[in-house]
């Protein structure tokens, strides 16, 4: 909770996984509406709903490996959805495109997703290699 390498997704709907994905992608892409998306305003919700629709994942479904696969299929080959889970001692539990250049890191804890902005900070290391 004290780490500053997270973007916490604050939502009352059941779209936190999709919200985290679109927020991480907007950060990597330097989206022109980045600040609004980061803060969870309407743009974030709209992008999350569009992602659910494109991936064929019903809204309100608790996301797991099957849903991650569907979301990864919607992302271009340049992006890799990477999910780390507190339930597995902060290990990587999913890496959609290991060879992709842009990684979208999500942290799963207590049925909620957040965005990891820096793996070095998350792991408290000076260096981190995606390989």
């Amino acid at each position: 909770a004290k780490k500053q390498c997270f973007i916490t997704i604050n939502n009352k709907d059941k779209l936190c996984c999709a919200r985290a994905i679109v927020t991480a992608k907007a950060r990597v892409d330097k989206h022109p509406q980045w600040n609004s998306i980061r803060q969870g305003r309407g743009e974030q919700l709209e992008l999350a709903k569009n992602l659910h629709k494109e991936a064929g994942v019903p809204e309100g479904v608790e996301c797991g490996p099957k849903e991650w696969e569907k979301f990864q299929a919607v992302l271009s080959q340049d992006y890799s959805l990477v999910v780390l889970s507190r339930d597995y001692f902060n290990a990587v539990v999913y890496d959609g495109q290991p060879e992709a250049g842009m990684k979208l890191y999500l942290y799963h804890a207590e049925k909620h997703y957040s965005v990891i902005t820096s793996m070095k900070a998350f792991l408290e290391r000076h260096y981190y290699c995606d390989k």
Side-chain angles (χ1 to χ4, degrees):
K2 294 179 183 178
K3 290 188 181 247
Q4 295 181 7
C5 61
F6 284 107
I7 297 173
T8 304
I9 303 299
N10 296 313
N11 63 310
K12 294 183 179 165
D13 51 35
K14 296 193 178 208
L15 301 174
C16 67
C17 181
R19 283 176 177 263
I21 293 168
V22 300
T23 301
K25 186 175 182 300
R27 181 178 179 275
V28 168
D29 292 345
K30 296 180 172 66
H31 194 283
Q33 294 178 322
W34 158 244
N35 205 37
S36 294
I37 294 168
R38 178 184 59 83
Q39 293 173 351
R41 297 207 176 122
E43 292 87 352
Q44 185 191 71
L45 176 60
E46 185 179 322
L47 290 169
K49 286 184 174 198
N50 286 342
L51 179 61
H52 268 273
K53 187 177 180 180
E54 288 178 40
V57 175
E59 291 180 24
V61 172
E62 187 175 322
C63 291
K66 290 179 186 178
E67 292 75 23
W68 301 334
E69 284 287 334
K70 291 178 181 180
F71 290 138
Q72 178 63 58
V74 171
L75 296 170
S76 80
Q77 297 293 328
D78 297 333
Y79 299 93
S80 179
L81 178 60
V82 181
V83 181
L84 291 85
S85 177
R86 188 172 76 183
D87 296 340
Y88 294 92
F89 304 102
N90 299 338
V92 173
V93 293
Y94 179 78
D95 188 353
Q97 292 280 24
E99 300 303 317
M102 293 182 271
K103 305 285 187 178
L104 307 178
Y105 291 102
L106 305 186
Y107 187 66
H108 181 248
E110 296 179 11
K111 298 183 181 182
H112 191 75
Y113 293 85
S114 299
V115 178
I116 300 173
T117 59
S118 170
M119 283 301 293
K120 291 189 305 185
F122 176 75
L123 296 171
E124 297 177 354
R125 300 285 180 251
H126 294 288
Y127 179 77
Y128 177 77
C129 177
D130 289 324
K131 305 283 180 192

